[in-house]
Amino acid sequence: MTDFYNNLETREPGQRQIEQIQAVAAQVAHAKATCPGWAGILHAVVASDITSTQAIAKLPITRKSSLIELQKNNMPFGGLVSSEAAPLAYVFSSPGPINEPGFEVPDHWHFARALYAGGLRKGDLVHNTFSYHFTPAGAMFDSALKALGCTVVAAGVGNSEMQAQSIAALKPKAYVGTPSFLKILLEKADSLNLNVSSLTHAVVGGEPFFPAQQDFFKARGLNVLQGYATADLGSIAYETPARQGMVIDEDVYVEIVRPGTGDLVADGEVGEVVVTNFNKHYPLIRFATGDMSAILVGQSPCGRTNRRIKGWMGRADQAAKVRGMFVRPEQVADLVAKHEALVKVRLQVKQINGQDSLQVLCEVKNTLSETTQLITEGVRSVLHLRGEVVLHAIGSLPNDGIVIDDQRER
């Protein structure tokens, strides 16, 4: 038994990059050939031209919100499921509504790798509290646990007293679910004087994992690691025992882009998580998650050689209504593209004396007065609003991925 799920995790980084570029090109060719929805989206793309990370970065972005319209016109999955897919086992639904498919494929959402990193092994009994209804989370973990050879207590959500009693009686080794519900179950067990000390491991997700929760579990001797996934893509990244960021899953190709665009940001800079999967049944190519994160420089001390992200850092959906006009990150990107002097722009929205106030904070290559005037004119042209342009030195604005900072009280 090794510390790694398989040898993909310890590949030489240059070799992984070559193999993943080839995998993205193959996925594009496959999607165009077998998915009418992707044939339309990627009509201008030639798969054989995808030979570099820069070529991948030129592929069109598809946003989660786009699925709503695609599916309305072509139920249930917008023409994005392959004609060569395995038999359809599930149809899930998330807000939108957005339909998500599940197939008769072992570990379809490829979460076994994250669970293995969390210490789960063949023969373990695992208490699964993710929902089995509408959302794929319950089935996602159920499938991965079975692929590992674990036995699953299919608990689902709710009824904390019954769940605490079940843990005390069945004595599972591990828990999967949200961190907040794990805390609820442990506190419920305490109040009922139940012994749930069999729980030594947990893999959590579905919500932020706050430091206070981490301290609570650590004090009880629980080894709790977190995973990052979406209903559409499955596992994207996962925490390892090193607890230094989250290692990107081997079954996806991840980019970080400036919100509202498809443009890559530098390692360390916060942006939107964009993912291409290698799922032949339900291909998703440059799929914008709406989540924010950043690439961590360097490799994990755990020995896995893939890149890492900092984890979930908020949402990229930053549209705001200012003086009756919607302002979106895409417009801010257009403003930057319009002026050569601009490096970065951050809109700051406040309310002063009951009226909306807009400041346009700009990192610029020079601070000439004519630059301010040109950008001011650009703001009116692109945003259709008047705003106070404030020039800043390069690198002085916050590195938090926020493009539209709405500070108005709600």
Side-chain angles (χ1 to χ4, degrees):
M1 187 176 294
T2 73
D3 292 334
F4 309 112
Y5 183 66
N6 59 28
N7 59 13
L8 291 178
E9 295 169 17
T10 55
R11 283 181 287 180
E12 193 277 319
Q15 184 63 28
R16 175 186 289 107
Q17 185 179 81
I18 291 170
E19 291 172 356
Q20 288 206 328
I21 291 168
Q22 292 170 345
V24 171
Q27 183 74 313
V28 167
H30 169 74
K32 288 187 69 175
T34 68
C35 308
W38 284 115
I41 294 168
L42 301 172
H43 68 276
V45 175
V46 179
S48 60
D49 290 343
I50 301 171
T51 57
S52 66
T53 57
Q54 292 79 13
I56 295 173
K58 292 178 181 177
L59 298 176
I61 290 278
T62 297
R63 301 197 170 276
K64 189 178 179 79
S65 56
S66 304
L67 297 185
I68 299 172
E69 200 59 36
L70 284 167
Q71 292 182 1
K72 277 182 182 178
N73 296 328
N74 188 1
M75 289 291 287
F77 305 117
L80 303 186
V81 167
S82 171
S83 59
E84 299 175 356
L88 185 66
Y90 304 100
V91 177
F92 300 102
S93 184
S94 60
I98 295 173
N99 301 315
E100 288 126 2
F103 300 94
E104 290 285 3
V105 176
D107 193 22
H108 169 62
W109 293 274
H110 51 90
F111 226 108
R113 190 184 308 281
L115 295 172
Y116 194 92
L120 278 64
R121 298 293 184 267
K122 183 177 181 179
D124 289 343
L125 181 63
V126 183
H127 191 85
N128 181 11
T129 69
F130 279 113
S131 174
Y132 281 77
H133 302 104
F134 278 123
T135 169
M140 180 186 294
F141 280 83
D142 195 287
S143 174
L145 289 164
K146 289 173 182 174
L148 279 180
C150 298
T151 302
V152 183
V153 179
V157 297
N159 202 334
S160 59
E161 182 171 332
M162 182 177 176
Q163 294 216 27
Q165 290 170 342
S166 172
I167 293 169
L170 297 177
K171 303 189 185 313
K173 167 187 170 178
Y175 163 100
V176 295
T178 63
S180 60
F181 193 56
L182 175 57
K183 187 171 185 289
I184 287 169
L185 289 183
L186 294 175
E187 291 173 336
K188 176 60 70 173
D190 290 345
S191 71
L192 298 172
N193 199 28
L194 295 171
N195 182 357
V196 293
S197 61
S198 67
L199 284 180
T200 56
H201 291 71
V203 175
V204 298
E207 65 186 22
F209 189 21
F210 297 110
Q213 294 172 322
Q214 296 172 33
D215 293 341
F216 175 84
F217 299 136
K218 185 177 180 181
R220 297 185 69 119
L222 266 171
N223 179 13
V224 183
L225 299 179
Q226 59 181 321
Y228 166 48
T230 71
D232 324 87
L233 294 156
S235 176
I236 297 172
Y238 57 93
E239 199 174 15
T240 75
R243 288 182 167 84
Q244 294 188 22
M246 304 179 80
V247 175
I248 294 172
D249 198 279
E250 298 293 335
D251 291 291
V252 293
Y253 177 82
V254 170
E255 301 166 284
I256 306 293
V257 307
R258 200 170 306 285
T261 78
D263 301 334
L264 300 180
V265 300
D267 287 357
E269 186 173 346
V270 179
E272 183 176 10
V273 179
V274 169
V275 182
T276 299
N277 68 12
F278 303 136
N279 180 343
K280 296 298 183 184
H281 311 279
Y282 186 45
L284 292 171
I285 296 160
R286 291 207 93 202
F287 188 73
T289 63
D291 294 328
M292 303 284 279
S293 193
I295 295 291
L296 282 176
V297 177
Q299 292 181 6
S300 172
C302 72
R304 292 168 179 83
T305 58
N306 206 348
R307 296 184 304 158
R308 297 170 297 158
I309 60 173
K310 287 186 177 179
W312 185 83
M313 299 177 70
R315 293 290 295 169
D317 309 328
Q318 299 171 29
K321 203 169 190 178
V322 183
R323 300 181 209 134
M325 297 288 292
F326 271 110
V327 182
R328 305 181 188 278
E330 295 91 329
Q331 292 171 283
V332 179
D334 289 343
L335 179 63
V336 173
K338 188 179 179 72
H339 297 280
E340 188 177 342
L342 279 175
V343 176
K344 185 176 181 179
V345 168
R346 180 187 183 100
L347 303 187
Q348 195 170 81
V349 186
K350 298 180 180 180
Q351 196 161 75
I352 299 174
N353 298 325
Q355 294 189 343
D356 290 343
S357 168
L358 176 65
Q359 277 196 328
V360 186
L361 311 181
C362 305
E363 288 187 6
V364 292
K365 297 174 184 176
N366 61 66
T367 56
L368 300 176
S369 58
E370 53 263 39
T371 301
T372 303
Q373 181 59 34
L374 285 170
I375 295 172
T376 300
E377 292 172 1
V379 169
R380 294 174 187 168
S381 171
V382 176
L383 304 184
H384 308 295
L385 288 165
R386 293 178 182 272
E388 179 192 1
V389 172
V390 182
L391 304 185
H392 290 261
I394 294 174
S396 60
L397 292 179
N399 177 26
D400 55 11
I402 293 177
V403 176
I404 301 173
D405 182 12
D406 191 346
Q407 300 183 1
R408 295 169 294 186
E409 290 187 8
R410 299 179 185 277

